Amino acid sequence: MSVRKVVVIPGDGIGTEITEVAQNVIKKVAIHNNLKIEFTTAYAGGAAIDRFGEPLPEETLLVAKGCDAVLLGAVGGPKWDDVEPAIRPEKAILGLRKALGLYANLRPIRVSKMLADYSPLKTEIVAGVDVLIVRELTGGIYFGDKCESEMIDGVEQAWDKELYSVPEISRIVRMACEAAAKRKGRVTSVDKANVLASSRLWRRVAGATAKEYNGIELNNMYVDNCAMQMVLAPRNFDVIVTSNLFGDILSDEAAVIAGSIGMLPSASIGDGPGLYEPIHGSAPDIAGKGLANPIGTILSAAMLLRFSLNEEEAAQRIEQAVDKVLANGYRTQDLYRTGLTKVSTEEMGRLVIDQL
Ligand code: IPM
Ligand code: MN
């Protein structure tokens, strides 16, 4: 069996604690499933700004390009809020996505019966939700031309350009259709075609692309309506495919359905090695205190095994171990309630490892 290379980028804030836990989970499952995995640590985000004066050093990009998968914690924090736009910690994530060709961001939101009443939404609305958001990740307004400031007739203005090409749209819609084929076969393509030209192209290409797939039902929905449907009837969705900006916003909204953002994993995949990270941020206020919920990162590690290392069995083993630990009543402080057992970040990791 060949040696698989995983690069761990802890990043900032709670990133260090949660990636350490997730790395230990991978190590245990690797022993169990007889996999050879070699870990390397690299710097990005604020940690890299402090060390090298830039958020995404060439060295980090090089090791990332040469590996099978990247596991990332989170980047950013108030310490770097005032650095110039060109070297903001977020640039590390955007730079990695672009450099690794990670055009698809997969964000699954699943609400188990056990956690349904943690959502601020009514239990009967969220119980049983199982949505996969497929967000385009290397195009659109995030990467279009932009102008930070210009003077037109003595008035200052700034702008960002939203642009999508046919191949960019068709490849992400294909990804969504392929994912839907393994689920309920329903794809909702989200746009703002009543206003935006780029959305009208998106809708046309989405329709044509989905036709290539037998048994896939495609619906188009405006993004404002989708935002509403997401909290009114989230169970009606199967796979959602949308642009970079709309996907960013809708996936934070969808995270609320699951009760705690600390539980949610994500996978960014494309041409090269995949990148796996929890949906939440670096939570500097609780960093280093053992309070962070590592489950989002542990489940991201499961996605890493599934998509980049092709180890479905190992991925499921981790997911089942997490379910078991939750069913046994263990919770980090974000999900703690009377009658349950409160555990630290590290203890949660150990409990999951014990179940593997
Ligand atoms: C996300 C984050 C990033 C994004 C930021 C940190 C650049 O919000 O992954 O959703 O906007 O894509
Ligand atoms: Mn976001």
Side-chain angles (χ1 to χ4, degrees):
M1 163 96 33
S2 64
V3 178
R4 261 74 77 78
K5 291 188 194 148
V6 172
V7 173
V8 178
I9 303 181
D12 309 315
I14 58 171
T16 315
E17 304 149 60
I18 55 180
T19 49
E20 194 184 320
V21 165
Q23 194 176 334
N24 289 335
V25 169
I26 301 179
K27 281 181 183 161
K28 175 71 190 286
V29 93
I31 295 173
H32 196 285
N33 284 35
N34 208 6
L35 314 173
K36 292 203 170 55
I37 301 178
E38 181 187 292
F39 293 94
T40 315
T41 302
Y43 294 102
I49 297 177
D50 289 351
R51 275 190 184 69
F52 310 103
E54 49 177 337
L56 184 57
E58 195 53 42
E59 169 70 17
T60 298
L61 258 185
L62 269 177
V63 290
K65 280 183 179 163
C67 73
D68 294 294
V70 180
L71 182 70
L72 187 133
V75 299
K79 185 175 176 196
W80 306 280
D81 270 353
D82 297 323
V83 302
E84 52 182 294
I87 63 155
R88 286 191 62 87
E90 289 81 0
K91 285 272 166 187
I93 303 223
L94 299 175
L96 277 167
R97 289 173 181 168
K98 199 67 171 179
L100 300 179
L102 304 169
Y103 61 85
N105 184 218
L106 311 183
R107 297 186 167 185
I109 292 115
R110 227 170 267 130
V111 183
S112 64
K113 291 240 157 53
M114 209 159 41
L115 296 180
D117 66 341
Y118 281 88
S119 173
L121 300 178
K122 292 198 184 78
T123 307
E124 62 265 31
I125 291 185
V126 301
V129 163
D130 185 359
V131 188
L132 175 68
I133 299 186
V134 179
R135 168 190 175 193
E136 199 291 323
L137 205 57
T138 50
I141 201 163
Y142 270 59
F143 292 96
D145 285 347
K146 60 180 85 241
C147 170
E148 298 286 337
S149 170
E150 69 182 8
M151 297 299 283
I152 301 288
D153 298 332
V155 177
E156 187 183 14
Q157 58 181 29
W159 50 266
D160 304 88
K161 182 170 171 178
E162 170 87 341
L163 182 153
Y164 271 109
S165 69
V166 171
E168 279 176 317
I169 303 167
S170 57
R171 71 180 175 184
I172 192 76
V173 173
R174 254 182 232 121
M175 184 81 83
C177 291
E178 273 152 33
K182 296 187 196 142
R183 300 168 47 102
K184 295 182 203 122
R186 286 190 285 116
V187 176
T188 306
S189 172
V190 175
D191 61 40
K192 189 69 188 172
N194 48 347
V195 178
L196 304 177
S198 52
S199 276
R200 285 188 281 275
L201 181 69
W202 182 285
R203 189 171 280 219
R204 176 150 58 82
V205 175
T209 306
K211 278 213 183 81
E212 297 166 16
Y213 293 84
N214 280 328
I216 295 293
E217 177 199 329
L218 177 85
N219 285 302
N220 297 295
M221 196 179 272
Y222 295 137
V223 64
D224 48 351
N225 185 25
C226 180
M228 187 167 68
Q229 297 306 325
M230 186 80 83
V231 285
L232 279 178
R235 264 195 304 253
N236 288 349
F237 292 106
D238 181 20
V239 174
I240 289 176
V241 63
T242 191
S243 66
N244 206 341
L245 181 63
F246 294 163
D248 179 46
I249 299 167
L250 290 174
S251 59
D252 267 33
E253 188 194 9
V256 171
I257 297 170
S260 170
I261 197 168
M263 298 282 298
L264 298 177
S266 83
S268 301
I269 55 182
D271 308 322
L275 183 142
Y276 301 83
E277 57 179 322
I279 285 193
H280 61 72
S282 59
D285 50 322
I286 59 163
K289 299 184 181 157
L291 296 175
N293 184 349
I295 293 180
T297 319
I298 293 173
L299 294 175
S300 300
M303 293 184 90
L304 182 156
L305 285 155
R306 170 171 296 127
F307 293 117
S308 284
L309 306 189
N310 236 324
E311 298 291 344
E312 177 63 32
E313 209 263 333
Q316 284 184 22
R317 189 179 290 279
I318 292 176
E319 289 162 351
Q320 283 157 10
V322 167
D323 279 349
K324 248 325 205 342
V325 172
L326 291 171
N328 289 344
Y330 296 103
R331 302 283 189 275
T332 41
Q333 51 89 33
D334 52 324
L335 296 175
Y336 173 71
R337 283 177 182 180
T338 323
L340 300 171
T341 312
K342 195 190 282 187
V343 295
S344 69
T345 310
E346 216 186 307
E347 284 162 345
M348 180 56 91
R350 255 200 309 273
L351 287 162
V352 172
I353 287 172
D354 287 346
Q355 289 294 339
L356 287 169

